[in-house]
Amino acid sequence: MKRLFLLSAIALCAACAEKTETTEESPAVESKPAVVEESAADTKTMAQPSLDDVLAMQDQDSQARYPHRHPKETLEFFGITPGMTVVEALPGGGWYSKILLPYLGKEGKLIGVDYDLNMWPNFSFVDEEFLEKRKTWSEKWSGDAGQWYGDDTETAAISAYTFATLPETMSESVDAALFIRALHNLNRFESKGEFLTNALKEMSRVLKPGGIVGVVQHQAPEDKASEWADGSRGYLKKSYLIEAFKKAGFSLVSESDINENAKDQPGEDDIVWRLPPNYSTSREDEEKKAQYTEIGESNRMTLLFKKS
């Protein structure tokens, strides 16, 4: 099991920031055209980009994963639109955050949410130094995210918390919450502190009535044992997650095959991180790595829930 924890850690550690001057001496008839021209230029520069525009902004490494992650189709399926207030669970290095920030635009808000600090000691790789650094994660992530785009791109307001520190003032203020490959460890350590239960409870609290939750999660075959599909291998059963969300007060609105991959048929000893882009169990074994490349990224369920 220790080896399994270490492999999970690899994957985990390998995933939310006009002025026109006129003077009394200037004739009104002369200053007016200049003001109009400046406003038009500003409007053109700061126009709200479309989702396609935002996707084209991303670096080549991110774009290379579009055929596997389907960000356009996924965000459209979830109904994410500019101006929304969105919680992103476990934003990590910001793969989706970098898409969301300019797409939500200046009227939007992006709120990154990390694990409860009390959950981290359950990972075998965590030591006191790691925990100390994690205490300032919210400030660091917000600061880093604020540097991703320059002044020529208007982005959503950025903030960050943990599932245990979401402020009371956020109650019923959020339009959507996204759990993109973010649920397996919450469930894996559920018996240690009800981390999944509490995370879903907090999402229900901060969401507006009728607010939505979008889920993309590595999907375990339904015939696997519950112990196998507890999240420690990265996989969860669809039926299990649907039931968990229902218990938390959400109803299933729809599901999609956008992120399914029938080639991903994990065996009893397999973990999800054997597949690209991690290759955590092959590394130098080029033959095995080629086999995993042929499979592609994991089979993922895509579910849309609504706060009841």
Side-chain angles (χ1 to χ4, degrees):
M1 183 62 72
K2 183 174 181 180
R3 177 174 176 271
L4 183 57
F5 282 4
L6 289 172
L7 291 174
S8 301
I10 292 171
L12 183 65
C13 299
C16 290
E18 312 116 61
K19 183 177 181 182
T20 301
E21 295 183 354
T22 59
T23 62
E24 293 181 359
E25 292 79 13
S26 303
V29 68
E30 294 180 8
S31 62
K32 192 171 183 180
V35 173
V36 171
E37 288 175 7
E38 283 188 21
S39 298
D42 289 347
T43 301
K44 183 177 180 180
T45 302
M46 294 299 202
Q48 171 65 46
S50 68
L51 183 52
D52 286 330
D53 292 335
V54 171
L55 292 172
M57 292 179 190
Q58 306 307 306
D59 62 41
Q60 292 303 307
D61 287 343
S62 293
Q63 293 191 40
R65 298 192 70 189
Y66 290 173
H68 306 285
R69 290 193 168 187
H70 311 103
K72 176 180 172 65
E73 297 86 350
T74 298
L75 292 176
E76 288 179 342
F77 175 70
F78 291 152
I80 305 301
T81 56
M84 277 186 166
T85 296
V86 176
V87 163
E88 184 186 359
L90 306 185
W95 196 92
Y96 256 101
S97 312
K98 291 173 183 177
I99 296 170
L100 289 165
L101 280 172
Y103 181 55
L104 294 176
K106 65 179 181 178
E107 302 301 324
K109 296 179 182 179
L110 180 63
I111 304 161
V113 180
D114 194 30
Y115 297 135
D116 179 343
L117 190 64
N118 292 330
M119 181 174 148
W120 283 105
N122 291 292
F123 292 98
S124 61
F125 65 88
V126 170
D127 57 19
E128 288 300 322
E129 181 180 359
F130 180 96
L131 279 177
E132 196 60 32
K133 289 181 179 179
R134 212 69 197 178
K135 290 178 182 179
T136 59
W137 175 85
S138 296
E139 294 82 359
K140 185 178 187 310
W141 189 85
S142 298
D144 290 345
Q147 302 301 314
W148 288 335
Y149 290 96
D151 294 338
D152 59 340
T153 303
E154 291 186 324
T155 65
I158 304 164
S159 57
Y161 304 93
T162 71
F163 286 114
T165 60
L166 287 163
E168 288 299 320
T169 53
M170 275 183 60
S171 296
E172 298 192 347
S173 66
V174 172
D175 297 298
L178 301 179
F179 285 84
I180 300 178
R181 302 177 310 282
L183 290 162
H184 46 278
N185 283 321
L186 290 167
N187 187 71
R188 171 185 178 184
F189 298 123
E190 172 72 358
S191 63
K192 304 286 187 180
E194 297 188 333
F195 297 110
L196 177 62
T197 296
N198 290 333
L200 297 187
K201 180 179 179 181
E202 280 299 280
M203 288 305 98
S204 179
R205 178 178 69 81
V206 301
L207 281 168
K208 297 175 180 178
I212 65 98
V213 178
V215 171
V216 177
Q217 179 60 47
H218 311 295
Q219 183 174 341
E222 288 293 326
D223 61 359
K224 292 292 187 185
S226 297
E227 293 78 11
W228 189 97
D230 65 355
S232 60
R233 297 175 181 275
Y235 293 101
L236 295 171
K237 293 182 183 181
K238 183 192 293 186
S239 60
Y240 175 84
L241 270 187
I242 292 174
E243 187 61 27
F245 272 89
K246 286 182 177 179
K247 287 181 179 179
F250 296 93
S251 56
L252 179 65
V253 175
S254 186
E255 55 185 287
S256 173
D257 62 2
I258 296 168
N259 296 296
E260 289 182 1
N261 177 10
K263 292 182 179 180
D264 178 20
Q265 296 293 329
E268 289 301 311
D269 296 326
D270 285 334
I271 58 175
V272 75
W273 302 286
R274 76 195 188 284
L275 299 172
N278 299 98
Y279 297 106
S280 61
T281 62
S282 54
R283 298 301 185 190
E284 306 304 322
D285 188 335
E286 293 301 324
E287 184 177 350
K288 184 179 288 188
K289 195 171 182 179
Q291 294 174 358
Y292 293 147
T293 299
E294 176 60 27
I295 293 172
E297 296 196 18
S298 67
N299 181 42
R300 297 163 187 161
M301 66 185 95
T302 305
L303 308 175
L304 179 62
F305 294 93
K306 183 178 181 180
K307 179 178 174 180
S308 301

